[in-house]
Amino acid sequence: MPLDRAAVDHVARLARLDLSEDERARMQAELTQILGHAEKIQELDLDGIPPTSHSVPLSNVLRPDEVTPSLPVDEALANAPEAEDGRFRVPRIIEDA
Amino acid sequence: MSVKEDLYETTVGLEIHVELATRSKMFCGCSVSFAGEANSRTCPVCLGMPGTLPVPNERAIEYTMKIGLALNCDIAERSLFHRKNYFYPDMPKNYQISQYDLPLCERGHVDIAGDFGETRVGITRVHLEEDTGKSVHMGGTGRIADSDYSLEDFNRAGTPLVEIVSEPDIRSAEEARVFVAELRSLLESLGVSDVRMEEGSLRVDANVSVRRSGEKEFGAKVEVKNMNSIRSVGRALEYEEKRQREALDAGETLVQETRHFDEKTGTTSSLRTKEFAFDYRYFPEPDLVPLAPSTEWVQRVRESLPELPAVRRVRLASEYGLGAADISVLTGSTKTADWFEAAAAAYGGDAKKVVNWIIADLFGLLNEAQMELHETRFTPAQLAGLISMIDEGKISGKQAKLVLADMFESGDDPEKVAADKGLEQVSDAGAIETAVDEVIAENADAADKVRAGQMNTIGFLVGQVMKKTKGQANPGMVNELLRKKLSS
Amino acid sequence: MDLLWASATELAGALGAGEVSSREVTEALIERAEAVDPKIKAYLQRTDERALADADAADERRSRGEMRSAYDGVPLAYKDIFVTRGITTTCGSKILENFVPPYDATVVERCDAAGLPMLGKLNMDEFAMGSSTENSAFGPTRNPWDLDTVPGGSSGGSVALVAAGAAPWAWGTDTGGSIRQPAALCGLVGVKPTYGLVSRYGMIAFASSLDQAGPITRSVKDAAALLNMAAGGDDMDSTCLKEPVPDYLVGIDRGIDGMRIGVVKEFQGEGSQPGVRARVDEALTRLEKLGATLEEVSMPSFEHGISAYYLIAPAEASSNLARYDGVRYGHRSAADDIVQMTSRTRDEGFGAEVKRRIMLGTYALSAGYYEAYYGKAQKVRTLITRDFEKAYSNVDLIVSPTSPTTAFKIGERTDDPLAMYLSDVYTVPVNLAGNAAVSVPCGLSDDGLPVGLQIIAKSLDEKTMFRAAYAFEQDLGLDERPNI
């Protein structure tokens, strides 16, 4: 099923990718092709087959409620692109759509 | 113009978030305390640094099950964590680890009672997730809308959060308010959270819709946020009910939207229309394996449940013969009720006396000092001691109030306070008798009048004895002695 | 002993016998890097100072008889996907160009604890997405066997460095074949362990349910030895198995007499280059000669492996890569508001392949499409796991070519993402089922380029896999090296 341009724009927004016009056009074609290939699994009858969400046979892996040392503040902020007053500074927050 | 209330039906569903009082965060070992400078309780995991992985806090899971069991839920045999994907600067990973179609607890209920009678509110689910960081919006009034930029603090990011979702069984603002109060009381009794709405450890969002009575379809669902106290829940929903009724009455169509409650004006205003539903792209969290709590574990948690508020209220009524109003006040918090019961047990006598002292006198002092009952500087046993002193005639009721006020500041024993203040009521029969004899001798006319039958003069004589004993004689004893001596 | 071409085990032996010092070995490798790396560009960052300091410390420990392990002092390099404290870690991406982690990956910690000096960080396809290392934001790595060809990917830097004699061994990661395929293309041994055997803490995530770290070495014994050092439970990774781990070297030379080996029916015939087919067929004959019996096994679900993989991996990746938003670390683009800032940061910081997979993954998970795409792909995964289980009730191991082709030319497939994806067709089913596999060199194709044989074991049966790989390797006695 071909992907329309609106879908590309919607997904780009969801994924926070400011794609250029060129990128959007190319993405539309490439994704359509890849999804077309992936769509072959649509033909399979998978009723009654449980999905595998984890391939390790583990459950209940927990840790005790104990405090371990945190990073010193300067280390926590060392990679911050912008910091102010011991906090990470970000541009004006606007609500999405 | 008032709108006839029975023309309309209100439906409310609540979504409550509870910050758990564990020592460490949900998925890492950073401390969960309120103290510390910004970003001082973070690590690569809760900062969402590359390559980091979550490991769940065992106690948080236990607390969640505790809440679920207290709410009469079924505990899942198999439960999964899911990723809830969305971008926001207070989200270290831009996805929140939460639960989706396999939550830890489901299908519970809470019974509430009030002016509206009694009703059962269903609990759809109780699940576990992680909290976000905190944003501070700079350059304007502090709200996002007029800010220039924001600052992010991730100390809170990763704190374990339980989400409780009620069925849309609530039918009025008052029911909602009572429900939240009861839920808060219940959570508090479990000891799983500080449950302080003003501090954010208990958060309430509501979905409200009003429709014409008898109509099959629900009205537009309006989400109400920013209710920061139990009282606000009542106020906000009352306003919202009224707003929706008036709109419907005026023939308007209501839209599905999110509204923000303003504490100051007591009104709600539109934040955003909810036509655009967020696409969270939920999928099972691949970094976490399934939860399958054993029956033994669930049983242990069930056995660890304390006496829940509803049960305690019934017991207090029957055991201490207390009325609903008193019970309601005393069971406002578990610690208050515990303190009361300890005092009543220490006293051993009529519990109503203990109740009266707490409610009539102690609460006044506590409110002024902005303290809770359990924070009182003296012990329940010491209150019991004070009341006993009155019973034994060692001090009068009036004097006891002074002693209480002193005990409140000093935390000292009532005996010590009374002695220090020289307030020990004189109940020594010999000492009183001496004073009585003296007064009779000094007030022969009045004494004759009493002998002659004019009992109302006895008050004057009692007063004279009190004066002579500097107010410390036990007035009851004085009265009795005077009568005896003047009845011949 | 030729320090550049000795195996890690041989070097350990020489160090133990006092024939050479760790410093000498490290210096030789640094010198070699000076000579060859300008041609192959395997390194993103050399850590010479650190390597020499580590080496000196190792020599010092050895002089006191206090070795941390049998391999104390044998240098090692890491794919730049492993977070290293105080050392820039980029994951092959501009978006992390300046990221200096304040923590180490568990794999790094364990190798440090074993005393292995750190040579540096190696090139890779950006965020491990690719099969040629051409998707690195910092330029491609070249195959030492033919500098016009790719080394494979995404662990291209790791294999190129080892294949060029500039490191005895290196760590890579494998999500859909990213250790095995480059190992095959460069004539090396590459292992993808059972999912959950090696901790993923500090290994930058691509597809969480598929990623595994694994050794890239010149000999099978080296691979077993390196796996020994890192495998086993980790409190920082809840998907890491907690059972005690066997010593993979013990019994490795027991031979394969009587072993039953399955040959995948669906992988026969079309799909592989003739030269690849020929070497693999010869390998099968050799296995029989060594005492194994071959049987055909049918794995009908394998046909859908690529489709399932290219829905699951991008879906998980789209979520794993959401954290790269310019807020707490990494690249940040200028903008007026948070949405613009994050969107530009990611558009500028990510390369084309990464963006493509994020878009694909986001779409596969989005409302209305989950069941049809991600949901169904997870079910195909179950089918693949079941096919493996059924096969393993009749055979001990399964073999196939590792890659359908030998190393292709740089630039040959970059315009055709789908063609690039299809190079993973033999390796992907193992990641989907979570079991273990190794690629061992099985000769050179007619074009003079290496061919790899893939040996697949059932979950946690690395020992059987190593036994077969070792027997095969020893019997084949390959002694080819690239001319570089």
Side-chain angles (χ1 to χ4, degrees), chain B residues 211-331:
Chain B
R211 64 181 160 175
R212 291 205 165 75
S213 296
E215 221 174 82
K216 275 214 183 82
E217 285 218 16
F218 283 111
K221 206 158 71 164
V222 173
E223 189 185 7
V224 179
K225 294 174 99 74
N226 200 46
M227 300 169 289
N228 296 326
S229 68
I230 294 179
R231 186 164 165 263
S232 295
V233 172
R235 288 174 69 212
L237 295 181
E238 231 175 76
Y239 174 83
E240 200 36 43
E241 265 186 305
K242 183 158 169 284
R243 184 189 75 84
Q244 290 192 24
R245 281 190 204 125
E246 284 175 2
L248 287 175
D249 212 54
E252 290 166 26
T253 348
L254 293 162
V255 288
Q256 192 180 6
E257 58 175 336
T258 300
R259 296 179 73 88
H260 173 101
F261 176 65
D262 185 320
E263 290 282 341
K264 280 198 289 245
T265 61
T267 64
T268 64
S269 57
S270 189
L271 208 56
R272 62 175 168 262
T273 53
K274 214 170 175 186
E275 280 157 25
F276 179 86
F278 291 103
D279 185 356
Y280 295 119
R281 308 183 293 290
Y282 284 99
F283 69 99
E285 171 57 82
D287 291 332
L288 293 174
V289 296
L291 294 172
S294 67
T295 29
E296 290 78 32
W297 192 9
V298 176
Q299 188 51 28
R300 261 182 288 130
V301 178
R302 200 187 295 276
E303 281 161 15
S304 79
L305 287 177
E307 184 184 40
L308 298 180
V311 176
R312 187 172 208 170
R313 288 195 293 263
V314 169
R315 183 175 62 76
L316 289 183
S318 69
E319 207 172 297
Y320 299 102
L322 302 179
D326 284 345
I327 289 178
S328 172
V329 171
L330 289 174
T331 57

Side-chain angles (χ1 to χ4, degrees), chain B residues 382-408:
Chain B
Q382 284 170 316
L383 177 65
L386 179 67
I387 303 173
S388 297
M389 281 180 78
I390 303 170
D391 290 344
E392 290 156 23
K394 291 198 179 129
I395 52 173
S396 68
K398 213 163 99 175
Q399 289 170 322
K401 287 187 202 280
L402 296 172
V403 173
L404 184 75
D406 191 294
M407 279 167 71
F408 188 74

Side-chain angles (χ1 to χ4, degrees), chain C residues 382-393:
Chain C
T382 305
L383 290 182
I384 292 177
T385 305
R386 288 180 182 178
D387 275 358
F388 268 122
E389 276 166 13
K390 202 165 117 206
Y392 285 119
S393 61

Side-chain angles (χ1 to χ4, degrees), chain B residues 315-316 319-322 330 336-356 358 373 379-385 387-388:
Chain B
R315 183 175 62 76
L316 289 183
E319 207 172 297
Y320 299 102
L322 302 179
L330 289 174
T336 299
D338 287 346
W339 204 99
F340 157 70
E341 287 208 67
Y347 178 59
D350 183 4
K352 290 206 189 63
K353 287 194 192 169
V354 177
V355 174
N356 287 335
I358 292 176
L373 178 60
T379 66
Q382 284 170 316
L383 177 65
I387 303 173
S388 297

Side-chain angles (χ1 to χ4, degrees), chain A residues 23-86:
Chain A
E23 282 177 310
R24 283 169 207 262
R26 237 184 307 130
M27 203 61 86
Q28 192 179 344
E30 285 164 355
L31 292 184
T32 300
Q33 191 201 24
I34 295 166
L35 284 169
H37 183 88
E39 252 152 27
K40 291 209 287 173
I41 64 175
Q42 298 306 312
E43 295 153 24
L44 293 171
D45 175 20
L46 298 170
D47 273 346
I49 311 282
T52 297
S53 49
H54 299 88
S55 54
V56 268
L58 289 172
S59 61
N60 295 334
V61 177
L62 307 170
R63 47 166 259 276
D65 183 27
E66 274 154 24
V67 174
T68 55
S70 295
L71 285 174
V73 180
D74 55 292
E75 268 184 54
L77 292 169
N79 285 286
E82 251 186 280
E84 183 181 297
D85 210 20

Side-chain angles (χ1 to χ4, degrees), chain C residues 7-334:
Chain C
S7 70
T9 303
E10 286 167 339
L11 287 172
L15 287 166
E19 287 160 14
V20 74
S21 71
S22 178
R23 177 160 260 252
E24 282 170 299
V25 174
T26 308
E27 277 173 350
L29 293 172
I30 291 174
E31 208 184 296
R32 176 67 174 170
E34 288 279 302
V36 298
D37 201 48
K39 299 182 208 167
I40 59 173
K41 297 213 195 315
Y43 273 112
L44 284 177
Q45 194 191 165
R46 270 169 42 191
T47 54
D48 293 350
E49 236 177 79
R50 159 85 184 252
L52 291 168
D54 285 351
D56 288 340
D59 287 331
E60 212 270 316
R61 286 191 293 271
R62 199 171 281 281
S63 72
R64 283 186 279 112
E66 284 168 11
M67 290 74 73
R68 286 184 181 167
S69 75
Y71 297 85
D72 197 333
V74 180
L76 175 72
Y78 297 93
K79 182 175 182 177
D80 204 19
I81 200 171
F82 294 97
V83 154
T84 42
R85 187 197 307 266
I87 296 168
T88 308
T89 302
T90 68
C91 212
S93 180
K94 277 220 197 73
I95 216 166
L96 287 178
E97 204 168 15
N98 55 4
F99 176 61
V100 181
Y103 55 111
D104 276 325
T106 296
V107 164
V108 174
E109 244 177 45
R110 291 183 179 181
C111 290
D112 264 351
L116 309 187
M118 183 190 305
L119 292 168
K121 310 303 291 297
L122 302 173
N123 200 16
M124 51 182 285
D125 280 302
E126 187 180 0
F127 284 105
M129 299 183 192
S131 309
S132 66
T133 310
E134 292 172 287
N135 292 328
S136 167
F138 308 108
T141 293
R142 290 166 183 275
N143 191 324
W145 292 82
D146 176 348
L147 295 173
D148 289 331
T149 66
V150 301
S154 58
S155 308
S158 303
V159 299
L161 196 75
V162 174
W169 50 10
W171 277 99
T173 63
D174 192 310
T175 304
S178 292
I179 286 174
R180 292 162 285 157
Q181 182 253 25
L185 267 45
C186 289
L188 297 175
V189 175
V191 177
K192 186 207 86 73
T194 304
Y195 182 84
L197 186 62
V198 181
S199 168
R200 290 184 298 117
Y201 184 78
M203 196 175 103
I204 298 177
F206 158 20
S208 315
S209 72
L210 305 170
D211 296 342
Q212 262 298 274
I216 288 165
T217 63
R218 283 203 283 272
S219 77
V220 174
K221 270 196 175 162
D222 283 357
L226 195 53
L227 188 58
N228 274 348
M229 280 182 244
D234 184 11
D235 288 340
M236 300 297 280
D237 176 355
S238 26
T239 60
C240 191
L241 296 163
K242 299 198 185 292
E243 284 117 22
V245 166
D247 182 337
Y248 296 113
L249 286 169
V250 169
I252 201 172
D253 50 7
R254 271 176 52 199
I256 58 170
D257 193 32
M259 255 194 211
R260 300 160 306 162
I261 296 184
V263 180
V264 180
K265 169 168 164 228
E266 287 79 7
F267 285 167
Q268 306 281 69
E270 31 114 355
S272 320
Q273 265 171 5
V276 169
R277 191 71 261 154
R279 295 296 89 74
V280 170
D281 283 343
E282 287 159 21
L284 297 181
T285 307
R286 188 179 298 279
L287 290 170
E288 275 182 308
K289 188 194 96 182
L290 290 169
T293 50
L294 300 179
E295 308 183 13
E296 198 177 68
V297 290
S298 178
M299 317 287 276
S301 63
F302 276 20
E303 183 196 338
H304 303 287
I306 291 279
S307 305
Y309 175 78
Y310 278 100
L311 288 171
I312 294 170
E316 292 182 7
S318 70
S319 179
N320 284 327
L321 269 60
R323 65 189 66 198
Y324 305 108
D325 60 3
V327 173
R328 288 147 287 115
Y329 50 80
H331 174 70
R332 174 189 286 202
S333 304

